[in-house]
Amino acid sequence: MAFTKKTVRDADVDGKRVLMRVDFNVPLKDGVVTDDTRVRAALPTIQYLLDHNAKVILMSHLGRPDGTGFQPELSLRPAAEKLAELLGREVKFVEDTYGEKAREAVDALKDGEVLVLENVRFDKREKKNDPEIAKILASYGDIFVLDAFGTAHRAQGSVVGPAAYLPAYAGFLLEKEVDTLTSIFSNPERPLVAIVGGSKVSSKIGVLDHLIDSADTLIIGGGMAYTFFLAKGYTVGTSLQEPDWIERAGEMLKKAEEKGVKILLPVDNVVTDHFGEDAVGEVVPSDQIPADRMGMDIGPKTVELYTEAIKGAKTVFWNGPMGVFEFDQFAKGTEAIARAVADANCTSIIGGGDSVAAVNKFHLADKMSWISTGGGASMELVEGKALPGVEALLDA
Ligand code: ADP
Ligand code: MG
């Protein structure tokens, strides 16, 4: 069993004040939520608490405030409005987090009502995990629930603080995320095919190491492929490259070989002369990248090779796009791989902010088994790290 902490199911919430940390860090435009995925992801726990007659007090951060007080463009009010719309019931909002106004709003809350507090990061003590703010927040509740998977890897005031003063439980989203992202590696249906791309080897070292230990096949794409090419002795022109990590990349290739893990690297690439929306691509084999060209995407032969490997998978874990998918002409590799994963008869788990954005861009989200709501947190779990927010909860 991958999840070893108490959840809201274990708590008696009837008539209780439930202080819950959610991840409502949503994108806004002109005061309106443009992507409500994270609000939706919190609904099961909120609905459960309301159905069980709790007083629900929600808190979250949004964006990166200075920590010097209220900033209108980073208010959580639009998220509270979106929540009201999705729940189809009234959601109270208070433009305060740690002061008198917040306390009054909490005191006025009745059973079965929801209150959203203002952005916890308007006060810089939140990020410093100051015990003073943890005490204030904890005083609002009888129990604490953490459902903010996206920030569970941050030891910050509203994430871990209240657990020192209140019985602390996991919400359903947190439980599902941790359970999914750990059990695919502890007990996967095999073959397990892992796909890793994105920009840099250096930012994915822990993930790559862990995947070489658990996957049957490791597919590599994106900008990081070029550092692996250098390790194989190819030249890569002006492609993204990390000279300090060539040796480490070479060690990984060796380790994979020793362990019998199949590593697939691109056999061809779409290259161009500059990084830009207007750049024109041409396909070259991996060992023939011209000195004045940079790799922007995997090529068609690579797509074929990778699609074949994905077809045979029973479990797929994917993190990191195959190319610069933000530019349409270099999105083909990422799109083809996303389609291959969507079409494969397998459990498919997608983690990482940009990979999730890519899957959404191609409208394939509903064809995947699980799409993680937390980029950084999902990477830390895959690296085998414990998340501070989860650690602070009561053991089951
Ligand atoms: P994730 O957020 O899914 O973990 P990363 O943040 O590691 O993924 O990487 C995503 C970024 O990698 C994207 O912005 C994409 O443009 C970039 N990228 C992918 N392939 C290349 C490439 N060949 N050259 C430069 N950047 C690339
Ligand atoms: Mg990213």
Side-chain angles (χ1 to χ4, degrees):
M1 186 44 212
F3 197 74
T4 59
K5 296 294 181 173
K6 287 201 169 159
T7 74
V8 283
R9 274 183 231 98
D10 302 310
D12 172 17
V13 301
D14 192 343
K16 299 275 170 59
R17 296 174 306 160
V18 178
L19 173 72
M20 177 150 94
R21 176 57 155 99
V22 288
D23 179 8
F24 282 177
N25 183 24
V26 288
L28 295 176
K29 194 165 184 245
D30 304 326
V32 177
V33 176
T34 54
D35 179 348
D36 62 8
T37 308
R38 286 181 162 167
V39 181
R40 282 179 191 278
L43 290 177
T45 311
I46 296 169
Q47 195 63 61
Y48 175 92
L49 293 171
L50 293 174
D51 291 347
H52 289 78
N53 205 36
K55 303 177 177 75
V56 181
I57 302 138
L58 301 176
M59 53 179 177
S60 177
H61 76 286
L62 197 162
R64 295 163 188 248
D66 309 333
T68 55
F70 180 70
Q71 286 174 254
E73 72 285 5
L74 294 176
S75 171
L76 273 169
R77 189 186 289 275
E81 283 165 1
K82 178 52 80 176
L83 176 62
E85 183 191 317
L86 294 172
L87 282 174
R89 65 154 81 201
E90 189 197 355
V91 170
K92 297 184 161 43
F93 177 76
V94 58
E95 212 172 86
D96 183 26
T97 317
Y98 309 104
E100 249 339 281
K101 263 171 56 186
R103 169 157 321 278
E104 279 164 21
V106 169
D107 289 345
L109 206 60
K110 300 194 185 69
D111 293 355
E113 288 187 342
V114 195
L115 168 70
V116 176
L117 302 176
E118 189 49 286
N119 194 335
V120 290
R121 287 193 191 162
F122 283 164
D123 186 319
K124 60 176 172 304
R125 292 176 296 174
E126 158 71 5
K127 284 183 109 174
K128 291 182 178 154
N129 192 13
D130 187 320
E132 279 308 311
I133 65 147
K135 262 187 237 168
I136 296 170
L137 294 173
S139 74
Y140 299 156
D142 301 307
I143 72 166
F144 174 59
V145 174
L146 179 67
D147 209 25
F149 176 69
T151 41
H153 60 313
R154 308 255 185 246
Q156 297 176 350
S158 63
V159 180
V160 295
Y165 307 99
L166 296 175
Y169 303 86
F172 299 129
L173 174 66
L174 185 73
E175 176 190 39
K176 175 81 180 168
E177 288 270 16
V178 174
D179 200 20
T180 305
L181 288 161
T182 51
S183 58
I184 52 158
F185 298 111
S186 60
N187 193 18
E189 223 190 312
R190 291 186 184 277
L192 166 59
V193 175
I195 309 164
V196 184
S199 46
K200 291 176 175 176
V201 175
S202 57
S203 68
K204 301 272 166 85
I205 285 293
V207 172
L208 288 165
D209 270 335
H210 189 78
L211 292 175
I212 291 172
D213 285 334
S214 48
D216 301 293
T217 301
L218 175 58
I219 290 176
I220 290 173
M224 71 166 62
Y226 304 102
T227 298
F228 281 95
F229 286 172
L230 289 170
K232 283 169 69 90
Y234 301 169
T235 55
V236 300
T238 57
S239 304
L240 188 74
Q241 53 196 283
E242 294 181 287
D244 293 345
W245 292 92
I246 299 169
E247 201 181 320
R248 191 73 164 75
E251 283 164 15
M252 277 191 232
L253 294 175
K254 215 168 112 202
K255 182 178 160 196
E257 198 181 325
E258 282 162 12
K259 296 194 70 141
V261 176
K262 199 162 163 192
I263 291 206
L264 298 180
L265 285 166
V267 291
D268 60 351
N269 311 270
V270 181
V271 301
T272 189
D273 59 351
H274 73 282
F275 189 92
E277 183 95 69
D278 59 331
V280 179
E282 89 191 87
V283 176
V284 299
S286 295
D287 57 358
Q288 289 170 42
I289 299 175
D292 58 352
R293 292 286 186 277
M294 64 175 71
M296 298 287 275
D297 195 8
I298 56 175
K301 286 211 176 84
T302 307
V303 165
E304 240 174 78
L305 176 76
Y306 289 5
T307 301
E308 205 50 46
I310 292 163
K311 252 188 209 160
K314 280 276 171 278
T315 307
V316 169
F317 172 74
W318 181 16
N319 166 255
M322 295 291 100
V324 184
F325 75 101
E326 294 92 338
F327 300 155
D328 284 343
Q329 72 272 36
F330 303 115
K332 291 193 187 77
T334 303
E335 178 168 10
I337 295 312
R339 287 199 187 283
V341 175
D343 291 344
N345 185 16
C346 70
T347 302
S348 50
I349 291 146
I350 322 296
D354 293 289
S355 325
V356 172
V359 168
N360 286 329
K361 176 173 170 160
F362 308 126
H363 308 288
L364 293 168
D366 57 1
K367 295 204 161 172
M368 307 301 182
S369 312
W370 185 251
I371 295 199
S372 179
T373 56
S378 66
M379 287 308 96
E380 293 203 8
L381 268 184
V382 173
E383 287 173 30
K385 288 188 190 153
L387 307 181
V390 176
E391 291 296 285
L393 304 176
L394 293 171
D395 289 323

